[in-house]
Amino acid sequence: HLHLAPRSHIHHLGNGVDLVKFSPDTIDAEARRTIRTELGATDNQIVVGMVGRLVAEKGYPELFEAASLLGDAYVVVCVGPDDRDKGDALPAAMIDDAGATGVRFLGIRTDVERLYGAMDVFVLPSHREGFPRSAMEAAASALPVVATDIRGCRDVVEHGVNGFLVPVESPREIADAILQLGDDAGLRLRMGAAGRVRAIEHFDEARVVERVVATYRRVGREKGHPLPEAIAVDQVTVRDAVPSDAPVLAHLHSSGIATGFLPSLGQRFMRRLYRALISYSDGIVLVAVDDSGPVGYVAGVQDTGQF
């Protein structure tokens, strides 16, 4: 149970990337050229990429201003959804203006690892971050990263080693860092290689899982709740949830995250919530079952606001 572990024991342990999926070997030279052609970039242009929701706190306004300072040798591409429900969602006029100056908006993509392979520089000018997954993915893909000098980004980017850290809301500094990388292919190569090494040493998903499990085991022992040494995966099957599972899922949720907000609304609400999730056409609920019944589950919806 996560609430057993002091925050200092679990900070940043739950983040990692698939180093096979996100790798400089994901695409070959021919595939890279094909993708860049799709993006409207020639072999001689520098493709600058960003991945994130189209909201102001991700630093898009500064990126758009920086893009206007780069010139025709650069192509800026933005990958991410238009998040209209957020208070800082980018105005349509701002997106249109950026598009008119050459910024490419790709929307939601399921092939982001291919897109990293077509980029030359990755940028994340966020105002605040936890542990930025997109920057970790870019580093693992051997891309030099230009990011803001904030918590989270500093965990991914070592200034001057695998990229550059710039002040928050600083379009000129963002542009200068991109231009420095764009003008020096050797620097891009060295910083990209250093980013890959950093990802292997710090962001390997498998190692992160090992650290998380080891932390849970240690804290469990300290709290008098030792964890089993192994999970009998072969004794568990996975199936779609059915309405009769709702009370058990509500109990699993409430007992597993006892200090969360939703359980504070009571078991009647929790049962109703899971009945609604199970019957919701735009959602998914899968249940892990052994001889005793449901022992775990995963639930999700495409649009939480709509749900």
Side-chain angles (χ1 to χ4, degrees):
H1 295 181
L2 189 60
H3 63 275
L4 293 177
R7 289 182 61 86
S8 60
H9 291 165
I10 61 175
H11 180 61
H12 283 177
L13 285 181
N15 297 277
V17 295
D18 184 335
L19 295 180
V20 175
K21 179 179 181 180
F22 297 99
S23 164
D25 301 324
T26 299
I27 64 170
D28 58 23
E30 183 177 351
R32 172 180 163 87
R33 186 174 298 110
T34 298
I35 300 167
R36 288 169 64 91
T37 299
E38 294 172 1
L39 300 177
T42 67
D43 290 342
N44 296 325
Q45 288 180 302
I46 301 296
V47 175
V48 179
M50 177 171 170
V51 177
R53 295 172 296 112
L54 298 182
V55 293
E57 76 167 7
K58 288 295 182 182
Y60 277 106
E62 297 84 66
L63 176 62
F64 298 158
E65 187 173 343
S68 70
L69 303 173
L70 297 178
D72 295 338
Y74 293 79
V75 175
V76 177
V77 297
C78 301
V79 184
D82 186 2
D83 202 341
R84 292 287 101 197
D85 292 335
K86 296 296 183 180
D88 65 337
L90 300 184
M94 179 184 291
I95 296 174
D96 291 342
D97 289 345
T101 62
V103 176
R104 275 74 160 171
F105 293 92
L106 307 185
I108 298 176
R109 295 287 292 255
T110 59
D111 61 343
V112 68
E113 68 277 5
R114 292 176 65 251
L115 297 176
Y116 288 135
M119 296 175 189
D120 298 293
V121 178
F122 184 80
V123 183
L124 186 66
S126 291
H127 301 171
R128 60 188 66 83
E129 283 288 346
F131 208 161
R133 177 169 291 276
S134 62
M136 288 192 294
E137 293 171 350
S141 301
L143 284 173
V145 178
V146 176
T148 37
D149 190 5
I150 58 173
R151 180 178 66 89
C153 291
R154 285 192 292 266
D155 293 308
V156 178
V157 179
E158 184 177 355
H159 183 73
V161 176
N162 67 312
F164 296 113
L165 293 170
V166 299
V168 175
E169 299 185 65
S170 57
R172 179 72 261 180
E173 286 84 352
I174 294 170
D176 287 345
I178 293 171
L179 289 167
Q180 185 173 347
L181 287 164
D183 290 341
D184 191 335
L187 180 62
R188 294 198 302 275
L189 186 63
R190 291 193 300 275
M191 285 192 165
R196 177 68 182 177
V197 171
R198 188 170 180 81
I200 291 171
E201 292 178 347
H202 298 287
F203 311 142
D204 185 350
E205 196 171 57
R207 294 184 184 179
V208 169
V209 170
E210 290 175 0
R211 292 202 302 271
V212 170
V213 172
T215 299
Y216 281 153
R217 292 195 188 285
R218 177 173 54 76
V219 175
R221 287 194 300 271
E222 293 173 357
K223 297 292 185 178
H225 299 285
L227 300 179
E229 288 304 313
I231 299 172
V233 177
D234 59 339
Q235 298 176 16
V236 176
T237 59
V238 177
R239 60 167 172 79
D240 291 329
V242 295
S244 60
D245 292 324
V248 180
L249 303 192
H251 172 73
L252 287 172
H253 184 149
S254 298
S255 61
I257 316 177
T259 58
F261 168 69
L262 292 175
S264 73
L265 301 178
Q267 279 300 291
R268 181 180 177 186
F269 169 81
M270 295 298 291
R271 290 192 295 271
R272 184 177 181 184
L273 170 67
Y274 278 98
R275 282 196 298 270
L277 275 168
I278 292 167
S279 63
Y280 188 52
S281 61
D282 200 23
I284 184 170
V285 184
L286 300 177
V287 182
V289 182
D290 66 8
D291 291 341
S292 66
V295 294
Y297 70 94
V298 60
V301 295
Q302 290 280 356
D303 186 326
T304 55
Q306 190 174 36
F307 170 71

